[in-house]
Structure formats: structure tokens, C-alpha cells
Amino acid sequence: MTGGSFGLRFLRGLSGIVTAGLVVLAIGVAVTQYLGHSRGFPGPGGLSVAAHIVAAVVAVFAQRVTDHRRGFSAVLGAIVVFVATGLVLWTQWWQ
């Protein structure tokens, strides 16, 4: 498959980086919860872990759409990645 226009390739790359970061963040939050629980310290909590994992899964599926579609579908997939990431950051880190 060809990459398409420069703008779409850039958007795919940026949303891919954001998706990878969200997956790493979800893993980090889950590991922190596990370690905190096993050592008797409070962790981020089950709700926070679940929110991060759900957001990461949504972002991975949306990134797959972004990478394998063209035009509006690809852009919409990237928007879903950014919205899912923004929601988890806003609700779990800034509130």
C-alpha cells in the first residue's frame, strides 16, 4: 500500500507514536498497581488500570484502521487515537 499524501503519512506516524506511548503507559500503570498491591502500598487502583487498558486497546484498533485505510477513514482513526489518549490523560492524570 502506498503512503498517500505527506499530510496523511505524517498523521499516521504521529498517531502511531501516540498509540505506542499509550500502550507503554497502560503497561506501566498495570505494573505499578501490581507492585504496589504486592508490597502493601497503594497503587493507582483498578479503575485507573482498566481505563488505561481500555484506552490502549481502542487506540490500537483505531491505529490499525488509520494504517490500513485511506482518506477520511484514516483521518477518523487518527482522531479516535487522539481522543482516547486525551480522555485517559484528562480523567486519570489531570483530574
Side-chain angles (χ1 to χ4, degrees), residues 12-82:
R12 283 179 175 143
L14 183 60
S15 64
I17 291 167
V18 170
T19 298
L22 187 56
V23 168
V24 169
L25 183 62
I27 291 168
V29 169
V31 168
T32 301
Q33 175 65 24
Y34 171 76
L35 291 175
H37 180 72
S38 67
R39 296 179 181 174
F41 293 103
L47 182 61
S48 184
V49 172
H52 282 81
I53 291 172
V54 167
V57 168
V58 167
V60 167
F61 281 113
Q63 184 62 35
R64 182 167 165 76
V65 169
T66 302
D67 288 339
H68 291 89
R69 302 287 173 116
R70 295 182 195 171
F72 182 73
S73 296
V75 173
L76 186 60
I79 290 170
V80 169
V81 168
F82 298 136

